[in-house]
Amino acid sequence: MKNFVLGVMTISLGLVFLQSCTYDREVTAPISACADTINVSFTARVRPILESNCFSCHGNGESDGNISLDTHDKVKQVAVSGRLLGAISHTQGFAAMPVGAAKLSNCNITAISTWISEGSKNN
Protein backbone atom coordinates (compact mmCIF):
# COMPACT_ATOMS: atom_id res chain seq x y z
CA MET A 1 0.00 0.00 0.00
CA LYS A 2 2.84 2.33 0.85
CA ASN A 3 4.34 1.74 -2.61
CA PHE A 4 0.98 2.45 -4.23
CA VAL A 5 0.59 5.82 -2.42
CA LEU A 6 4.20 6.69 -3.20
CA GLY A 7 3.60 5.84 -6.89
CA VAL A 8 0.44 7.96 -7.08
CA MET A 9 2.25 10.88 -5.44
CA THR A 10 5.19 10.53 -7.84
CA ILE A 11 2.87 10.50 -10.85
CA SER A 12 0.91 13.47 -9.47
CA LEU A 13 4.07 15.49 -8.89
CA GLY A 14 5.29 14.53 -12.34
CA LEU A 15 2.06 15.79 -13.89
CA VAL A 16 2.31 19.04 -11.96
CA PHE A 17 5.86 19.57 -13.21
CA LEU A 18 4.92 18.66 -16.76
CA GLN A 19 2.02 21.09 -16.64
CA SER A 20 4.32 23.84 -15.38
CA CYS A 21 6.58 23.25 -18.39
CA THR A 22 3.89 24.23 -20.82
CA TYR A 23 3.74 27.82 -21.96
CA ASP A 24 1.03 30.08 -23.09
CA ARG A 25 1.59 31.37 -26.58
CA GLU A 26 1.71 35.11 -26.71
CA VAL A 27 -1.41 36.42 -28.31
CA THR A 28 -0.61 39.17 -30.74
CA ALA A 29 -3.02 41.50 -32.37
CA PRO A 30 -3.29 41.17 -36.13
CA ILE A 31 -1.16 43.61 -38.06
CA SER A 32 -3.34 46.38 -39.31
CA ALA A 33 -2.97 48.50 -42.40
CA CYS A 34 -1.94 51.27 -40.04
CA ALA A 35 1.12 49.44 -38.82
CA ASP A 36 3.42 51.01 -41.40
CA THR A 37 3.82 54.60 -40.31
CA ILE A 38 7.60 54.77 -40.70
CA ASN A 39 9.09 55.85 -44.02
CA VAL A 40 5.70 56.37 -45.59
CA SER A 41 5.87 56.32 -49.37
CA PHE A 42 3.98 58.87 -51.44
CA THR A 43 3.38 56.41 -54.28
CA ALA A 44 2.46 53.38 -52.20
CA ARG A 45 0.59 54.98 -49.30
CA VAL A 46 -0.31 58.67 -49.67
CA ARG A 47 -1.38 58.84 -53.30
CA PRO A 48 -3.86 55.92 -52.97
CA ILE A 49 -5.47 57.67 -49.98
CA LEU A 50 -5.83 60.86 -52.00
CA GLU A 51 -7.13 58.99 -55.06
CA SER A 52 -9.81 57.27 -52.98
CA ASN A 53 -10.91 60.27 -50.98
CA CYS A 54 -9.95 63.48 -52.77
CA PHE A 55 -9.62 62.99 -56.53
CA SER A 56 -13.30 63.41 -57.29
CA CYS A 57 -12.87 67.12 -56.50
CA HIS A 58 -9.10 67.67 -56.48
CA GLY A 59 -7.64 65.27 -59.01
CA ASN A 60 -7.68 64.19 -62.64
CA GLY A 61 -7.93 67.75 -63.87
CA GLU A 62 -10.37 68.86 -61.16
CA SER A 63 -9.26 71.63 -58.82
CA ASP A 64 -12.14 72.69 -56.62
CA GLY A 65 -11.08 75.62 -54.48
CA ASN A 66 -8.02 76.00 -56.70
CA ILE A 67 -6.47 72.93 -55.09
CA SER A 68 -5.32 70.08 -57.26
CA LEU A 69 -3.80 66.95 -55.78
CA ASP A 70 -3.02 65.03 -58.96
CA THR A 71 0.79 65.38 -58.88
CA HIS A 72 3.37 65.04 -56.14
CA ASP A 73 4.45 68.67 -56.50
CA LYS A 74 0.89 69.93 -56.07
CA VAL A 75 0.28 67.69 -53.06
CA LYS A 76 3.59 68.72 -51.48
CA GLN A 77 2.71 72.41 -51.89
CA VAL A 78 -0.59 71.93 -50.03
CA ALA A 79 1.07 69.65 -47.47
CA VAL A 80 3.94 72.00 -46.65
CA SER A 81 1.52 74.91 -46.20
CA GLY A 82 -0.34 72.90 -43.53
CA ARG A 83 -3.62 73.02 -45.46
CA LEU A 84 -3.68 69.29 -46.31
CA LEU A 85 -3.31 68.04 -42.75
CA GLY A 86 -5.57 70.78 -41.38
CA ALA A 87 -8.34 69.89 -43.82
CA ILE A 88 -8.22 66.11 -43.42
CA SER A 89 -7.89 66.38 -39.62
CA HIS A 90 -10.91 68.70 -39.50
CA THR A 91 -8.84 71.23 -37.60
CA GLN A 92 -10.66 74.42 -36.67
CA GLY A 93 -9.96 77.16 -39.20
CA PHE A 94 -9.65 74.75 -42.14
CA ALA A 95 -12.32 73.53 -44.53
CA ALA A 96 -13.09 69.98 -43.37
CA MET A 97 -12.34 67.48 -46.12
CA PRO A 98 -13.62 65.48 -47.79
CA VAL A 99 -16.75 67.60 -48.15
CA GLY A 100 -19.95 65.72 -47.39
CA ALA A 101 -18.09 62.58 -46.30
CA ALA A 102 -16.73 61.18 -43.08
CA LYS A 103 -13.35 62.27 -41.81
CA LEU A 104 -10.49 60.08 -43.01
CA SER A 105 -9.49 57.27 -40.66
CA ASN A 106 -6.90 58.04 -38.01
CA CYS A 107 -4.68 55.52 -39.75
CA ASN A 108 -4.80 57.45 -43.03
CA ILE A 109 -4.32 60.79 -41.30
CA THR A 110 -1.30 59.38 -39.43
CA ALA A 111 0.20 58.07 -42.67
CA ILE A 112 -0.16 61.46 -44.37
CA SER A 113 1.14 63.28 -41.30
CA THR A 114 4.17 60.98 -41.18
CA TRP A 115 4.83 61.51 -44.88
CA ILE A 116 4.74 65.28 -44.36
CA SER A 117 7.01 65.16 -41.29
CA GLU A 118 9.47 62.98 -43.21
CA GLY A 119 9.87 65.71 -45.81
CA SER A 120 7.00 65.02 -48.24
CA LYS A 121 9.30 62.97 -50.44
CA ASN A 122 8.39 61.86 -53.94
CA ASN A 123 9.01 58.20 -53.23
Side-chain angles (χ1 to χ4, degrees):
M1 182 70 163
K2 184 177 179 182
N3 286 338
F4 176 74
V5 172
L6 186 58
V8 169
M9 287 178 59
T10 302
I11 291 172
S12 296
L13 282 174
L15 290 174
V16 168
F17 285 118
L18 284 176
Q19 180 64 26
S20 68
C21 290
T22 64
Y23 62 94
D24 293 330
R25 291 185 332 166
E26 183 178 335
V27 177
T28 56
I31 297 174
S32 70
C34 200
D36 184 17
T37 56
I38 299 172
N39 298 318
V40 176
S41 163
F42 176 76
T43 304
R45 190 79 168 93
V46 175
R47 184 169 174 91
I49 294 169
L50 299 176
E51 286 176 351
S52 297
N53 298 282
C54 309
F55 269 30
S56 63
C57 296
H58 301 287
N60 299 325
E62 298 294 324
S63 60
D64 286 7
N66 289 327
I67 295 176
S68 177
L69 302 174
D70 56 4
T71 69
H72 169 266
D73 289 339
K74 292 174 184 176
V75 174
K76 183 174 181 174
Q77 183 179 10
V78 177
V80 170
S81 73
R83 292 183 299 175
L84 179 61
L85 196 54
I88 64 171
S89 299
H90 294 191
T91 303
Q92 188 174 356
F94 293 90
M97 296 288 156
V99 172
K103 180 176 161 183
L104 297 181
S105 71
N106 288 337
C107 180
N108 286 340
I109 293 170
T110 298
I112 291 172
S113 176
T114 300
W115 173 75
I116 293 168
S117 69
E118 290 176 347
S120 309
K121 298 174 189 165
N122 188 6
N123 53 0

